[in-house]
Amino acid sequence: MLDAIDDVMGVITEQIEARFDMSFFELQRAVTAAPYANREATDIVHWHGLLAESQKVLESAEGDLVAVLESQPGELDDPAMEMAHRVNAAVAARDGRAMVVQWLLDPAAPGKQGLAAERLARLSRGARQGPAVQTSAPLRPATAPEPATGRGALR
């Protein structure tokens, strides 16, 4: 049986290779040579790199936790519990990044079709020509307001 760690990275890398019909190393080289040629490939390589980084953090956290558990029989102390929480956080980060890569690989994923996809495409192409809100000063009336008469403070 494959180790769960190798399974996540291996399965996702295989899916990327199948999607682009080339090895991941070749895809990385192509993206490095021409990062703007295929936005989808660039995004997938970027997120795969983030996934690999989070995988390394997870492996380190798990190694630290195993070392503490082997040296500490019985009830866990606060530092050991902190390490366990660190492992949980690393798993969540790794799994989140894996989900992003999976979403990027799936052309039928929610948000990639219909109105949401059109909006996403416009944003990623930079279709907006100007700011979303008015940034210039409002127009002033052509006539100046009448000066206040009388004494005292105006309220």
Side-chain angles (χ1 to χ4, degrees):
M1 185 168 143
L2 289 174
D3 188 40
I5 291 171
D6 294 333
D7 192 39
V8 171
M9 292 301 297
V11 167
I12 289 177
T13 302
E14 286 176 9
Q15 290 173 346
I16 293 169
E17 291 173 346
R19 169 77 174 80
F20 292 97
D21 197 28
M22 63 176 67
S23 74
F24 188 75
F25 180 71
E26 291 171 327
L27 182 63
Q28 281 181 309
R29 281 195 326 221
V31 165
T32 301
Y36 300 107
N38 185 330
R39 178 74 176 169
E40 181 183 18
T42 301
D43 288 345
I44 288 172
V45 168
H46 170 76
W47 278 95
H48 186 275
L50 294 175
L51 175 60
E53 287 176 19
S54 63
Q55 184 63 50
K56 288 178 186 174
V57 170
L58 174 58
E59 290 171 6
S60 173
E62 285 177 332
D64 294 346
L65 180 60
V66 167
V68 167
L69 293 175
E70 288 174 345
S71 69
Q72 183 180 2
E75 214 170 295
L76 298 179
D77 59 4
D78 288 341
M81 287 304 294
E82 281 297 318
M83 285 186 188
H85 290 301
R86 198 175 100 199
V87 169
N88 285 338
V91 167
R94 191 267 323 262
D95 290 351
R97 290 174 175 181
M99 286 191 298
V100 170
V101 175
Q102 293 285 38
W103 184 84
L104 289 169
L105 286 170
D106 184 1
K112 287 191 168 183
Q113 297 175 352
L115 184 58
E118 291 172 21
R119 288 181 180 161
L120 182 62
R122 272 188 303 214
L123 287 174
S124 64
R125 283 192 313 256
R128 179 176 283 152
Q129 298 299 318
V133 296
Q134 180 179 356
T135 58
S136 60
L139 297 174
R140 301 205 178 242
T143 60
E146 303 233 355
T149 57
R151 294 186 188 174
L154 296 176
R155 293 184 190 192

